[in-house]
Amino acid sequence: MSSTPATSARATRVAAYAAPAPKAPLERITVPRRPVGEHDVLIEIKYAGICHSDIHQVRDGWGEGSYPMVPGHEIAGVVTEAGSGVTKYAVGDRVGVGCFVDSCRECEACLAGQEQHCTAGATFTYNSTDRHGDSTYGGYSTHIVVDENYAVRIPDALALDVAAPLLCAGITLYSPLVHWKAGPGKKVAIVGLGGLGHMGVKIAAALGAEVTVLSQSLRKREDGLRLGAAHYYATADEATFTELAGRFDLIVSTVSAPLPLDKYLGLLKLDGALVNVGAPEEPVSLNLFSVINGRKTLAGSMIGGIAETQEMLDFCAAHGLGADIETIRADEVNEAYERVLASDVRYRFVIDAATI
Ligand code: NAP
Ligand code: ZN
């Protein structure tokens, strides 16, 4: 791994893995990191998780991709330099960076701690343009410079490798589960047992809900029960939809492909909610009678704010919840992408940044 970059008034270049063009394999390059400003910390990245969103974006599935693209928004590392005005962190602190690195800090959403919904547009960790007009590059890299207000503290009880995926997968499930009040007496279904889904099972169970996994097959059933689910059903089996009709208070879908919404809405009780966090590349269709009958809610949710991300990390530390990971070398990233696309991940790939 390259040594800590010399920090001065100049930007430095650091090693990273990037897609040079849409759908092209990722390869090693260098990218600029800005000088450490008054309120910035320089973070030596130790681990970076691979989120399915990285694959959607690298392949330009959501459109408006900017290349070369360095993905990675599940970053865990250590502070190696702090700007003169930094108060939250010191050199040696274990920190994380998630999906965004700045926001306007003034709009209603920012003031409500929902910076990811900043009305001026949050600056995303990669594939985005920062407030100085520069491209952002993500966590498949050796170092990153971030404003201290957009970093979170990783509690000592969590190892950095299993903490990295919490920065996206963890918060993306924690936020809706808390918002829609998953807890004792509530029946919660998690659709899709991948990176997001496996954290959803762990967190919903730790919140006290009765958790059901709805997976395409029964292939990962033992894992689902070990992670905290009480029940596990295969969605390829049509009988599942008859047996579970009207069962759930809350369903959270993490499926990366379009979901047949009407079928899943049929699994909700009166006043139940189906919350989509999965972000498929194509639109979905809906028969509105699926929500009219039973006064149901169809909603979406996107990651979580900074304070809520810290709350999630503290919750996970208190409950001993890290991600189940498979650690890979950086040069294995393209192979790992293929396995994610084939739903063959148990349950998050994490890049060891020392191999970049
Ligand atoms: P992942 O690890 O690939 O997990 C997705 C799971 O969905 C798969 O493991 C599979 O589970 C199931 N699945 C995949 N294709 C399916 C299909 N055609 N039909 C039914 N089920 C299918 O991906 P992830 O990293 O958890 O991300 C999931 C989605 O969430 C992606 O679209 C990603 O972009 C999005 N995302 C959204 C947010 C947000 O803030 N809203 C944040 C992060 C990610 P089974 O094998 O169990 O069926
Ligand atoms: Zn993500």
Side-chain angles (χ1 to χ4, degrees):
M1 172 169 163
S2 65
S3 58
T4 300
T7 53
S8 64
R10 309 180 277 112
T12 37
R13 295 193 75 85
V14 300
Y17 263 71
K23 301 188 176 65
L26 277 71
E27 58 185 39
R28 191 176 187 277
I29 64 163
T30 64
V31 290
R33 294 296 186 197
R34 68 168 183 257
V36 178
E38 190 183 349
H39 300 289
D40 288 340
V41 288
L42 171 66
I43 299 168
E44 180 180 329
I45 298 173
K46 298 291 190 187
Y47 297 97
I50 294 179
C51 178
H52 203 121
S53 301
D54 299 345
I55 305 176
H56 288 300
Q57 289 179 87
V58 156
R59 301 193 174 192
D60 214 13
W62 293 342
E64 299 185 17
S66 153
Y67 300 84
M69 188 188 296
V70 177
H73 56 210
E74 295 186 335
I75 300 171
V78 175
V79 174
T80 54
E81 188 181 334
S84 59
V86 169
T87 57
K88 279 175 71 181
Y89 301 111
V91 170
D93 284 359
R94 303 158 82 247
V95 293
V97 177
C99 296
F100 60 95
V101 289
D102 208 349
S103 65
C104 82
R105 311 174 193 209
E106 289 171 352
C107 71
E108 199 177 334
C110 284
L111 295 177
Q114 296 288 316
E115 301 93 339
Q116 73 279 25
H117 298 298
C118 173
T119 49
T123 302
F124 290 93
T125 306
Y126 67 89
N127 194 20
S128 189
T129 303
D130 70 17
R131 280 161 163 73
H132 312 285
D134 296 321
S135 298
T136 59
Y137 299 105
Y140 300 3
S141 177
T142 59
H143 300 81
I144 191 167
V145 177
V146 181
D147 184 301
E148 64 165 335
N149 294 302
Y150 293 81
V152 284
R153 185 176 297 280
I154 297 180
D156 289 340
L158 290 172
L160 291 180
D161 54 357
V162 301
L166 303 181
L167 276 303
C168 176
I171 185 61
T172 298
L173 272 293
Y174 180 84
S175 183
L177 287 168
V178 170
H179 185 80
W180 274 276
K181 302 189 168 48
K186 293 291 180 71
K187 291 187 164 62
V188 174
I190 303 290
V191 191
L193 194 65
L196 267 55
H198 97 288
M199 285 314 307
V201 173
K202 290 189 187 204
I203 293 169
L207 288 167
E210 182 185 312
V211 183
T212 298
V213 174
L214 301 176
S215 181
Q216 292 167 96
S217 71
L218 296 179
R219 201 160 51 94
K220 295 179 272 190
R221 184 172 178 276
E222 271 179 34
D223 289 348
L225 299 181
R226 172 179 56 80
L227 295 168
H231 316 281
Y232 200 105
Y233 288 86
T235 54
D237 182 355
E238 283 302 321
T240 291
F241 291 89
T242 317
E243 186 178 341
L244 298 181
R247 174 80 58 102
F248 300 107
D249 299 285
L250 173 65
I251 301 174
V252 183
S253 169
T254 73
V255 174
S256 48
L259 200 69
L261 293 178
D262 303 305
K263 277 174 79 173
Y264 284 86
L265 286 162
L267 304 183
L268 291 173
K269 301 182 175 173
L270 172 66
D271 286 330
L274 168 59
V275 181
N276 280 269
V277 295
E281 297 173 8
E282 305 85 24
V284 292
S285 72
L286 171 70
N287 180 338
L288 280 169
F289 281 104
S290 300
V291 288
I292 290 172
N293 287 326
R295 197 168 57 183
K296 294 168 185 173
T297 300
L298 173 63
S301 184
M302 182 171 70
I303 44 175
I306 294 292
E308 192 179 27
T309 303
Q310 187 65 62
E311 178 187 303
M312 175 277 305
L313 286 170
D314 296 343
F315 176 88
C316 286
H319 290 85
L321 307 181
D324 285 24
I325 59 166
E326 190 175 327
T327 307
I328 61 163
R329 294 191 316 270
D331 62 8
E332 295 173 313
V333 63
N334 294 303
E335 201 182 309
Y337 275 20
E338 293 306 324
R339 287 185 50 196
V340 172
L341 288 167
S343 301
D344 177 26
V345 49
R346 299 193 182 199
Y347 280 87
R348 201 56 143 182
F349 288 111
V350 170
I351 299 170
D352 177 353
T355 65
I356 300 173

